[in-house]
């Protein structure tokens, strides 16, 4: 079974549309994250949640809204998509927050292309 | 600006040779982690070294940490074609609650 799963794997959409990416982890972890990896492979944290509570919001535009219905799920909704949102989005989880010191387990990524 | 920067950005070697990648960072850290990313896949954790450790081994991997120079190195011995991937260092800045990744070293092992 996949530890951290994301859907969809690929997402191609028009500028201005609204889309969601789902993430689920079956590791029993308390903390989940969203990262964005740009075309230069630079990976940057967007959000982290600990037990459904928002911990980090890394100055991401408010078009991006994470939602954590329970600690096993962290979904990412993006409104009014822009060309610059094209990237690979990774979900990750760790056992607990521990100041970010824990090993993180990554999902396979969602490749978003905005046309 | 980035906390961690890997060097070199790309490395191509023959199978069986050793591969060394370096990571430099700017501020004091709690720990430093190395991750591998195969093409089109997510990141996989390789090894974590704490700020009070100087060297750590895991199989064919050897990681060193020099906090005085704010640098770390990852050595892969007896490389294999399957080691072809991008390798990222990530640091946990003291007082912060997040991992900060470098841009990675793209390693190619030629058969």
């Amino acid at each position: 079974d996949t530890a951290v799963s994301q859907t969809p794997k690929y997402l191609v959409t028009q500028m201005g549309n609204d889309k969601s990416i789902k993430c689920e982890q079956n590791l029993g972890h308390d903390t989940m994250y969203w990262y964005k990896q740009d075309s230069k492979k630079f990976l940057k944290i967007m959000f982290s949640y600990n037990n459904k509570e928002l911990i980090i919001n890394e100055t991401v535009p408010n078009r991006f809204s994470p939602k954590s219905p329970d600690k096993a799920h962290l979904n990412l909704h993006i409104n009014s998509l822009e060309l610059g949102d094209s990237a690979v989005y990774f979900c990750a989880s760790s056992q607990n927050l521990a100041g970010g010191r824990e090993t993180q387990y990554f999902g396979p990524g969602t490749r978003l292309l905005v046309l | 600006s980035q906390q961690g920067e890997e060097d070199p950005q790309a490395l191509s070697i023959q199978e069986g040779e050793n591969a060394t990648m370096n990571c430099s960072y700017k501020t004091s850290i709690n720990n430093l982690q190395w991750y591998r990313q195969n093409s089109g896949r997510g990141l996989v954790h390789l090894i974590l070294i704490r700020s009070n450790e100087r060297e750590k081994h895991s199989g064919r991997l050897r990681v060193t940490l020099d906090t005085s120079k704010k640098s770390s190195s990852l050595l892969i011995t007896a490389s294999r074609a399957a080691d072809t991937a991008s390798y990222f260092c990530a640091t946990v800045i003291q007082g912060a609650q997040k991992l900060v990744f470098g841009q990675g070293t793209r390693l190619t092992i030629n058969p």
Side-chain angles (χ1 to χ4, degrees):
Chain A
D1 283 347
T2 305
V4 182
S5 59
Q6 296 178 227
T7 54
K9 190 170 182 180
Y10 298 97
L11 189 51
V12 181
T13 187
Q14 298 289 327
M15 217 166 45
N17 283 352
D18 303 339
K19 291 293 178 185
S20 292
I21 308 172
K22 295 186 177 181
C23 178
E24 176 181 3
Q25 53 94 4
N26 63 5
L27 298 167
H29 288 168
D30 285 343
T31 308
M32 296 184 72
Y33 311 81
W34 276 110
Y35 288 88
K36 179 180 180 181
Q37 187 174 43
D38 63 23
S39 57
K40 295 182 178 179
K41 301 293 186 185
F42 183 42
L43 193 73
K44 189 172 180 188
I45 190 167
M46 300 172 69
F47 301 102
S48 72
Y49 269 73
N50 188 57
N51 252 321
K52 303 191 297 176
E53 181 185 349
L54 178 67
I55 301 299
I56 291 175
N57 179 340
E58 197 69 5
T59 59
V60 178
N62 57 15
R63 297 183 296 105
F64 291 79
S65 51
K67 286 192 171 47
S68 184
D70 55 61
K71 73 175 191 177
H73 296 84
L74 180 62
N75 304 322
L76 184 65
H77 188 77
I78 314 170
N79 289 327
S80 303
L81 278 155
E82 300 177 356
L83 295 177
D85 297 332
S86 296
V88 183
Y89 292 85
F90 287 99
C91 177
S93 73
S94 62
Q95 188 157 4
N96 53 54
L97 188 59
R101 294 188 293 273
E102 296 270 318
T103 296
Q104 295 186 16
Y105 295 81
F106 282 77
T110 295
R111 284 138 193 86
L112 171 65
L113 177 60
V114 182
L115 303 175
Chain B
S1 62
Q2 293 168 237
Q3 162 72 339
E5 293 187 8
E6 285 92 341
D7 170 57
Q9 290 192 353
L11 179 62
S12 181
I13 61 173
Q14 294 300 118
E15 196 166 17
E17 293 179 341
N18 295 342
T20 299
M21 290 158 272
N22 302 297
C23 170
S24 60
Y25 57 91
K26 297 174 183 171
T27 61
S28 296
I29 59 172
N30 284 319
N31 69 44
L32 185 144
Q33 304 179 30
W34 284 91
Y35 287 78
R36 184 187 73 227
Q37 184 180 30
N38 289 86
S39 180
R41 310 289 292 273
L43 279 76
V44 174
H45 181 261
L46 295 176
I47 201 163
L48 180 154
I49 187 165
R50 302 187 193 286
S51 59
N52 62 354
E53 297 176 310
R54 291 297 167 258
E55 188 170 314
K56 207 159 182 182
H57 296 253
S58 177
R60 293 183 297 112
L61 305 181
R62 173 177 165 248
V63 168
T64 62
L65 179 64
D66 187 336
T67 53
S68 66
K69 295 182 179 178
K70 293 187 170 56
S71 67
S72 173
S73 67
L74 170 66
L75 168 67
I76 304 174
T77 60
S79 62
R80 305 168 182 169
D83 294 329
T84 294
S86 291
Y87 292 81
F88 295 85
C89 70
T91 54
V92 179
I93 303 169
Q94 284 184 356
Q97 291 185 324
K98 60 183 180 181
L99 274 179
V100 179
F101 286 83
Q103 273 190 264
T105 291
R106 192 170 62 255
L107 176 65
T108 302
I109 309 299
N110 301 304

